[in-house]
Amino acid sequence: MAEKFIYMDHAATTPVKKEVLEAMLPYFTEHYGNASSVYSIGRESKKAIEEARDRVAKAIGAQSKEIFFTGSGTEADNWAIKGIAYANKTKGNHIITTSIEHHAVLHACQYLESDGFEVTYLPVNENGLVTPEQVSAAIKPNTILITIMFANNEIGTIQPIAEIGRIAREKGVYFHTDAVQAVGNIAINVAEMNIDLLSLSSHKFYGPKGVGALYIRKGVKITSFLHGGAQERGRRASTENVAGIVGLGKAIELATGKLNEYNAKLLALRERTIEEVMKNIPFVKLNGDRHQRLPGNVNFSFEFIEGESLLLMLDMKGIAASSGSACTSGSLDPSHVLLAIGLPHEIAHGSLRLSFGEDNTNEDIDYLMEVLPMIVGRLREMSPLYETVKRGNKNV
Amino acid sequence: MYSEKVMDHFMNPRNVGEIEDADGVGQVGNAKCGDIMKMYLKIDNNVIVDAKFKTFGCGAAVATSSMATELVVGKTVEEALKITNKAVAEALDGLPPAKMHCSNLAEEAINAAIEDYKRRNGLLDESNDCTACGRRCDDVHHHDFDEDEE
Ligand SMILES: Cc1ncc(COP(=O)(O)O)c(C=O)c1O
Ligand SMILES: [Zn+2]
């Protein structure tokens, strides 16, 4: 194992912050009460949950009673999509989404297709963007839901959410956004952006894993997700994950409190990385929009090499990153996002995503720029595809 | 996920490169499915005396290429043709089930390079169709395990 460890995969997950962990700990031990119980330690748990709810509401410009805690971002997505579909099926059966959503959205939509719903998967341009006009043109009399992610987890592209929200509201169609990658990275106000439902996940902003939330605007018609007790006002039954919820609340407060500072830091790392990689490594492409992207996200395709090899070699040098190659996604095809922005398979296989966070420094980028060009060069020397290029015959 | 031996062959691959005056060259796989292996053989008196490879692919693809070149050297053409994907994988202390397709490529690359050698030397039995070069992604890839994403 390399002694160095540099984590550049914050889009996959983030470490729990010290203050967050400290806020959580008492709720495992002395404050273990069930929030539904009447005695004092039960009431304390209840109070902690409601405080966390207030914090989440404040962070996204919602009211507290519009926030419902869930077991993950995936659960929030599933609830939003299936819950709206089933509660509104007498109104219509058409759903609009995009081809670059996270699988939590795509597979929920595919499931609904198998149950009689009709789904439009809007294509994106070569930068991974949909336009408000595309959304507008796709709306039909039987459209009941538009679900479009705030920011993409692979290529970081940020969608024109406020414009889409305005269109959805005008047309009277519910609008859900998977903001799992956006919360804690971009300023969000659900009221101003006309968002009806929003999914978020604690482990993407230095909170614990296995806890998320769904914002459901007051008055939105949606079915309950888990049937059981009266928790979450009967809409998502089960004894609350008190410590997790407290952690989420603390984490979102910290994240949105220092948003500008955090943004500026990540942006500097991102810009430097893009500039230096593009300058120092030939046959490279930046995936995603140059500017409309998450402050901490870069995604490159290096021609003639394969992503998993790249990740293994980076790992040997102590750098943790991710890729959209088939061999890392575990299926035959490379990432659906990279294919949707029009990359040929062979270019998509050679992708590398670096996502920066709190713990990254300029020295980390120095080190990255020391090892990355070397690794890419080494893999290319090993590649039969590069051979042809070197001989001046780019006809591979 | 990978055995130490796989990681060793991946990080320090044996016999990377080309053989200028190779007696047989075989390339299998394609860029679309994410793995390409090209194998160069030097054959003297029906014995493989040198082998080199170039590979575009994942860790398993590189390691199996490396191991395959080690296995073929010193073998007769007939012996080399008997090397199976399983033998290559076993020599690497096993591969994750999802990565077995990569060892298929190693076996195919050996076969393709020997076929090229036979063709050049008029040793090809015309009734013997090329088994390796016509394969498509779907034949060499696996699809039977869960997707695993962040
Ligand atoms: C865009 C997006 N949506 C949903 C999820 C799923 O969230 P969770 O891991 O909390 O289930 C993720 C990441 O995992 C994501 O990046
Ligand atoms: Zn492979």
Side-chain angles (χ1 to χ4, degrees):
Chain A
M1 272 308 283
E3 298 140 49
K4 233 182 165 84
F5 181 70
I6 297 180
Y7 187 70
M8 295 190 170
D9 204 16
H10 294 79
T13 196
T14 55
V16 172
K17 257 184 215 166
K18 241 199 202 77
E19 302 99 294
V20 172
L21 179 65
E22 275 160 17
M24 292 172 70
L25 284 176
Y27 294 93
F28 288 107
T29 50
E30 65 258 45
H31 301 311
Y32 56 83
N34 188 317
S36 303
S37 307
V38 292
Y39 40 75
S40 65
I41 60 165
R43 289 198 308 272
E44 276 185 47
S45 294
K46 178 81 183 155
K47 189 163 152 263
I49 291 171
E50 294 318 315
E51 258 174 38
R53 204 185 306 282
D54 294 343
R55 288 173 169 177
V56 174
K58 184 161 171 245
I60 62 170
Q63 296 170 35
S64 295
K65 56 180 187 299
E66 296 174 317
I67 305 299
F68 296 83
F69 292 111
T70 65
S72 66
T74 299
E75 184 188 314
D77 284 340
N78 271 265
W79 183 9
I81 293 165
K82 294 175 193 166
I84 292 292
Y86 289 119
N88 298 277
K89 63 173 186 242
T90 52
K91 265 177 60 190
N93 70 338
H94 180 231
I95 296 167
I96 297 169
T97 188
T98 76
S99 51
I100 62 164
E101 298 298 311
H102 190 272
H103 282 158
V105 168
L106 283 184
H107 291 170
C109 285
Q110 282 159 17
Y111 167 76
L112 287 173
E113 279 183 293
S114 75
D115 198 23
F117 289 88
E118 179 196 341
V119 181
T120 298
Y121 299 91
L122 294 175
V124 294
N125 72 8
E126 72 277 9
N127 294 340
L129 283 163
V130 286
T131 62
E133 293 73 33
Q134 270 177 290
V135 176
S136 189
I139 296 174
K140 306 195 288 185
N142 63 336
T143 306
I144 50 175
L145 174 67
I146 296 166
T147 172
I148 293 180
M149 73 198 315
F150 210 115
N152 185 268
N153 46 304
E154 290 187 45
I155 56 174
T157 305
I158 300 168
Q159 302 298 343
I161 291 300
E163 286 90 333
I164 295 169
R166 185 161 5 91
I167 291 164
R169 192 62 56 87
E170 271 169 24
K171 298 276 175 82
V173 176
Y174 286 141
F175 176 40
H176 165 250
T177 185
D178 173 347
V180 169
Q181 291 287 339
V183 171
N185 281 307
I186 307 170
I188 296 177
N189 186 302
V190 289
E192 283 171 13
M193 294 174 162
N194 291 307
I195 296 167
D196 296 307
L197 303 112
L198 176 145
S199 306
L200 59 90
S201 178
S202 150
H203 74 100
K204 308 289 186 181
F205 47 84
Y206 308 93
K209 295 167 182 59
V211 58
L214 180 64
Y215 151 78
I216 306 173
R217 189 172 61 83
K218 189 165 166 284
V220 165
K221 223 176 126 199
I222 186 166
T223 60
S224 295
F225 189 70
L226 290 177
H227 302 96
Q231 296 91 351
E232 299 302 285
R233 310 221 314 278
R235 290 179 156 187
R236 199 274 186 189
S238 52
T239 299
E240 298 88 343
N241 171 10
V242 183
I245 289 169
V246 166
L248 188 162
K250 184 73 189 169
I252 203 167
E253 187 180 70
L254 291 172
T256 45
K258 287 195 313 182
L259 198 60
N260 290 340
E261 198 185 311
Y262 185 57
N263 252 329
K265 175 201 161 103
L266 296 191
L267 205 60
L269 297 176
R270 180 189 90 184
E271 290 305 295
R272 183 179 160 205
T273 305
I274 292 175
E275 218 167 88
E276 295 194 12
V277 166
M278 304 300 281
K279 198 173 75 195
N280 294 313
I281 304 180
F283 303 111
V284 61
K285 181 185 177 304
L286 176 72
N287 297 318
D289 196 87
R290 181 67 184 81
H291 300 289
Q292 282 297 108
R293 74 187 302 140
L294 287 170
N297 169 288
V298 299
N299 187 311
F300 300 108
S301 279
F302 299 101
E303 282 189 69
F304 322 118
I305 63 176
E306 191 276 332
E308 191 202 80
S309 289
L310 187 55
L311 294 188
L312 288 171
M313 289 212 171
L314 283 170
D315 181 41
M316 294 306 284
K317 294 284 180 191
I319 297 178
S322 91
S323 167
S325 92
C327 270
T328 59
S329 76
S331 72
L332 178 65
D333 286 318
S335 126
H336 65 284
V337 176
L338 299 178
L339 295 181
I341 59 171
L343 294 193
H345 277 66
E346 51 271 38
I347 309 283
H349 285 304
S351 79
L352 173 70
R353 178 189 72 183
L354 302 169
S355 43
F356 304 123
E358 199 133 272
D359 43 307
N360 292 128
T361 60
N362 250 318
E363 287 71 49
D364 292 351
I365 311 295
D366 293 343
Y367 180 67
L368 175 76
M369 290 315 300
E370 242 172 71
V371 300
L372 184 62
M374 196 179 74
I375 290 173
V376 170
R378 187 163 168 216
L379 287 169
R380 280 180 178 163
E381 282 309 316
M382 226 190 272
S383 168
L385 300 175
Y386 192 54
E387 224 172 74
T388 353
V389 176
K390 275 200 309 189
R391 291 204 191 96
N393 166 18
K394 237 210 120 174
N395 212 357
V396 284
Chain B
M1 150 172 104
Y2 287 132
S3 72
E4 265 174 46
K5 207 143 178 194
V6 171
M7 282 312 291
D8 176 39
H9 275 263
F10 172 71
M11 289 309 292
N12 313 293
R14 330 307 194 237
N15 307 310
V16 180
E18 300 161 49
I19 300 176
E20 289 288 332
D21 55 344
D23 298 300
V25 181
Q27 179 167 320
V28 297
N30 68 52
K32 187 165 182 283
C33 40
D35 288 308
I36 299 178
M37 242 177 240
K38 188 169 185 181
M39 187 170 291
Y40 299 81
L41 297 178
K42 187 89 194 120
I43 299 174
D44 194 7
N45 253 329
N46 200 43
V47 174
I48 297 169
V49 294
D50 195 11
K52 291 236 185 299
F53 79 91
K54 288 246 173 137
T55 289
F56 162 89
C58 62
V62 172
T64 51
S65 310
S66 165
M67 181 52 83
T69 56
E70 285 212 317
L71 290 178
V72 295
V73 172
K75 294 216 163 47
T76 65
V77 165
E78 291 71 30
E79 286 166 344
L81 282 172
K82 287 197 192 111
I83 295 172
T84 61
N85 60 333
K86 244 182 100 206
V88 178
E90 270 164 21
L92 286 166
D93 294 341
L95 283 172
K99 296 287 185 177
M100 284 306 287
H101 75 275
C102 303
S103 58
N104 287 340
L105 282 184
E107 179 186 331
E108 287 170 15
I110 297 171
N111 291 350
I114 291 178
E115 225 157 67
D116 179 50
Y117 160 74
K118 288 187 172 174
R119 192 178 309 113
R120 293 187 196 189
N121 293 279
L123 302 170
L124 208 57
D125 174 359
E126 288 303 330
S127 67
N128 250 358
D129 272 346
C130 172
T131 50
C133 30
R135 291 266 203 120
R136 294 172 311 128
C137 283
D138 317 330
D139 306 327
V140 294
H141 270 272
H142 45 80
H143 216 351
D144 54 342
F145 57 99
D146 293 336
E147 292 179 24
D148 171 334
E149 58 183 320
E150 85 296 336

